[in-house]
């Protein structure tokens, strides 16, 4: 993995934030399920988005690259027939958990053998919620030594689906994409409090845009009429609050950073970054050009990670240089991401001179407002969010650091290091 030397330097500048990866997945899938052609613009290409495009093509959807209207962004012309078929035997999901969990139910519409493969930690990420459904419906599936590749065979049946609320919301979204295409009506029942419900809200919003109706009973259940049809749309993908989070934290630690292209009416759960940082006494200004995080003397807070797990690593870095003791709670699902993010965050910050205690489902962080020592090598654990979080907090170190795994940002934000330099970050690529 690429090693990068990061020299402490305060961040300051303006960033055109990448488009939302979460909404990008959803828009591309809905467009591919429609009968007709639609253009999806303002796509920030990444390894995960490329995985979703590969899976659509494997299921018989035509996806053509176009030049986006915004410099540096892509657009896709997506042409579907309104029905899926097996154009390829295997769909390669890369390392994208969203892609895999969104497409498994769609693959179960084929009623013939179809295989999903993956790489990295994805091959062992949990899918038990789907296996339970397959067992209950008598559908065939097989794994290799209990891991990917996964081969499925059979067709989902309309009916009642029960899912616990503490599993990834991606299972709920995957079923919501597929069930409207069945002949009969279905209900998804959530048997306990649904974590990360904002991600399901994003799915429901996208489905509605493409003409598919689902009745949401307060996230306790979802009623889905069968025999529905996705309607082609031209669409524009909104900015990504989970990526903006790095720059907002970076601006609060540094001089100031402005994030452009953000939708303040967004349903993204990671929009909570602003409210959480305000609780930590970060200072913001808002205008028509975007949101600016100003250099601030931040303080500790209690941070609930259940609804916004992706922004917890970077919030942990802010807590590490804030006054007081921060408690991060309800964040156990970070252990089953690209790496164990609770462990990786603890390891990285403590190596830099922080005072972090790892808990079963959270972190206890004693802040060091004078900054961290640095002068060491830290590992991103092949996790894009760990790499970017450590890069952001490097500006608060007294000595340069060496980051192993800096190229992991390709998964979601290939231009991160370019933007880092543009905001005053100083790096040297070592290997």
């Amino acid at each position: 993995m690429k090693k990068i030397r990061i020299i402490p330097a305060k961040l300051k500048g303006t960033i055109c934030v990448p488009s939302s990866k979460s909404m990008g997945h959803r828009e591309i899938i809905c467009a591919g399920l429609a009968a007709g052609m639609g253009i999806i613009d303002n796509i920030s290409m990444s390894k995960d988005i490329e995985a979703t495009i590969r899976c659509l093509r494997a299921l018989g959807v035509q996806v053509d690259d176009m030049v986006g209207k915004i410099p540096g962004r892509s657009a896709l012309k997506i042409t579907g027939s309104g029905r899926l078929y097996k154009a390829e035997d295997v769909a390669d999901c890369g390392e994208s958990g969203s892609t895999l969990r969104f497409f498994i139910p769609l693959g179960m519409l084929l009623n013939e053998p179809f295989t999903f493969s993956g790489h990295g930690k994805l091959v062992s990420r949990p899918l038990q919620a789907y296996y339970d459904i397959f067992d209950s419906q008598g559908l065939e599936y097989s794994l290799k030594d209990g891991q990917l590749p996964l081969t499925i065979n059979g067709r989902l049946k309309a009916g009642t689906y029960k899912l616990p609320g503490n599993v990834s919301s991606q299972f709920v979204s995957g079923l919501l994409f597929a069930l409207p295409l069945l002949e009969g009506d279905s209900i998804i029942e959530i048997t306990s409090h649904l974590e990360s419900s904002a991600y399901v809200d994003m799915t429901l919003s996208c489905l509605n845009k493409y003409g598919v109706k689902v009745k949401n009973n307060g996230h306790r259940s979802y009623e889905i009429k069968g025999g529905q049809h996705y309607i082609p749309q031209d669409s524009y993908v909104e900015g990504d609050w989970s990526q903006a989070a790095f720059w907002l934290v970076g601006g609060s630690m540094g001089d100031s950073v402005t994030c452009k292209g953000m939708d303040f009416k967004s349903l993204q759960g990671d929009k909570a970054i602003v409210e959480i940082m305000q609780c930590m006494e970060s200072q913001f200004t808002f205008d028509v050009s975007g949101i600016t995080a100003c250099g601030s003397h931040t303080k500790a807070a209690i941070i609930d990670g259940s609804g916004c797990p992706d922004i917890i690593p970077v919030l942990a870095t802010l807590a590490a240089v804030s006054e007081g003791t921060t408690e991060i709670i309800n964040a156990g699902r970070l252990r089953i991401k690209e790496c164990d993010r609770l462990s990786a965050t603890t390891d990285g910050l403590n190596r830099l001179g922080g005072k972090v205690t790892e808990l079963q489902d959270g972190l206890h962080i004693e802040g060091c407002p004078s900054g961290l020592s640095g002068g060491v090598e830290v590992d991103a654990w092949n996790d894009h969010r760990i790499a970017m979080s450590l890069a952001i907090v490097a500006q608060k170190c007294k000595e340069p650091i060496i980051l192993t795994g800096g190229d992991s940002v390709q998964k979601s934000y290939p231009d991160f290091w370019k933007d880092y330099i543009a905001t005053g970050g100083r790096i040297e690529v070592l290997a």
Side-chain angles (χ1 to χ4, degrees):
M1 298 297 290
K2 184 177 292 184
K3 287 191 177 185
I4 295 174
R5 185 170 183 259
I6 307 176
I7 299 93
K10 286 189 175 182
L11 300 182
K12 181 179 179 64
T14 299
I15 294 293
C16 184
V17 176
S19 64
S20 168
K21 182 163 67 79
S22 294
M23 285 306 298
H25 284 303
R26 289 161 170 80
E27 293 268 9
I28 292 167
I29 290 170
C30 288
L33 295 175
M37 185 271 287
I39 295 175
I40 313 301
D41 205 345
N42 193 39
I43 295 173
S44 299
M45 295 302 294
S46 64
K47 296 295 185 183
D48 283 6
I49 292 295
E50 290 172 357
T52 287
I53 293 170
R54 283 197 302 272
C55 289
L56 269 187
R57 287 172 172 158
L59 291 174
V61 177
Q62 182 177 339
V63 184
D64 298 307
D65 297 328
M66 298 180 64
V67 177
K69 293 182 180 179
I70 297 178
R73 301 291 167 82
S74 301
L76 298 173
K77 182 172 73 172
I78 300 178
T79 308
S81 64
R83 60 174 294 275
L84 301 176
Y85 65 91
K86 187 167 73 170
E88 302 172 18
D89 291 331
V90 179
D92 179 4
C93 299
E95 297 185 22
S96 175
S98 296
T99 302
L100 177 63
R101 289 168 175 164
F102 290 167
F103 273 89
I104 287 175
L106 295 173
M108 296 303 294
L109 300 179
L110 300 177
N111 202 23
E112 61 179 314
F114 189 70
T115 298
F116 292 95
S117 65
H119 307 278
K121 194 173 180 182
L122 182 64
V123 301
S124 59
R125 287 179 71 174
L127 296 169
Q128 190 61 46
Y130 283 151
Y131 303 152
D132 291 343
I133 290 170
F134 298 162
D135 289 338
S136 69
Q137 294 195 0
L139 304 173
E140 299 177 6
Y141 66 97
S142 62
L143 296 157
K144 182 178 180 180
D145 299 324
Q147 299 182 336
L148 297 185
L150 165 68
T151 298
I152 55 178
N153 187 19
R155 182 172 174 82
L156 285 177
K157 302 176 181 66
T160 299
Y161 292 76
K162 295 186 177 184
L163 288 173
N166 62 350
V167 300
S168 171
S169 63
Q170 293 166 355
F171 293 106
V172 180
S173 290
L175 289 169
L176 286 171
F177 287 127
L179 296 180
L181 300 174
L182 298 179
E183 292 75 14
D185 301 343
S186 297
I187 295 175
I188 301 174
E189 292 184 357
I190 307 301
T191 59
S192 60
H193 173 71
L194 178 64
E195 297 183 8
S196 299
S197 61
Y199 288 100
V200 178
D201 287 333
M202 293 166 63
T203 302
L204 294 173
S205 173
C206 203
L207 291 171
N208 186 65
K209 178 190 289 189
Y210 286 81
V212 173
K213 307 300 181 185
V214 175
K215 184 179 179 182
N216 175 12
N217 298 314
H219 291 300
R220 296 184 300 276
S221 67
Y222 309 92
E223 299 177 30
I224 307 110
K225 291 288 186 183
Q228 297 193 62
H229 302 280
Y230 287 77
I231 301 172
Q233 305 288 326
D234 290 343
S235 191
Y236 177 94
V237 183
E238 65 186 61
D240 192 329
W241 281 101
S242 73
Q243 307 292 31
F246 296 106
W247 303 115
L248 296 177
V249 170
S252 187
M253 289 183 185
D255 282 341
S256 66
V257 175
T258 299
C259 292
K260 298 174 63 176
M262 306 312 299
D263 181 0
F264 289 94
K265 297 180 181 179
S266 172
L267 296 174
Q268 295 175 49
D270 294 324
K271 188 175 67 172
I273 185 67
V274 176
E275 181 179 352
I276 294 171
M277 288 180 64
Q278 286 175 327
C279 289
M280 299 177 75
E281 300 193 12
S282 288
Q283 303 300 309
F284 294 93
T285 61
F286 305 85
D287 57 36
V288 293
S289 66
I291 175 174
T292 300
C294 308
S296 306
H297 178 78
T298 50
K299 296 184 179 180
I302 297 175
I303 301 172
D304 188 334
S306 61
C308 52
D310 284 345
I311 60 176
I312 293 303
V314 74
L315 280 169
T317 68
L318 182 61
V321 295
S322 296
E323 180 183 335
T325 300
T326 292
E327 299 286 346
I328 294 177
I329 61 174
N330 298 325
R333 287 194 298 114
L334 270 73
R335 296 195 182 279
I336 53 173
K337 297 290 186 176
E338 283 79 348
C339 73
D340 181 338
R341 286 180 177 164
L342 292 180
S343 178
T345 299
T346 301
D347 176 76
L349 288 174
N350 284 345
R351 286 178 185 273
L352 294 177
K355 299 177 181 178
V356 183
T357 302
E358 180 181 343
L359 307 174
Q360 182 175 357
D361 68 343
L363 300 173
H364 175 96
I365 304 172
E366 296 180 40
C368 304
S370 62
L372 306 178
S373 55
V376 297
E377 183 170 323
V378 290
D379 196 336
W381 298 94
N382 195 33
D383 189 314
H384 53 130
R385 298 199 188 277
I386 300 299
M388 292 185 280
S389 297
L390 293 173
I392 292 299
V393 80
Q395 66 182 310
K396 297 291 287 185
C397 291
K398 296 178 176 63
E399 299 291 337
I401 71 170
I402 294 175
L403 174 66
T404 299
D407 50 347
S408 59
V409 302
Q410 295 291 326
K411 187 175 192 297
S412 67
Y413 195 165
D415 288 336
F416 174 79
W417 294 114
K418 176 182 175 183
D419 288 347
Y420 190 77
I421 293 169
T423 53
R426 297 176 59 198
I427 67 171
E428 299 173 359
V429 178
L430 302 180

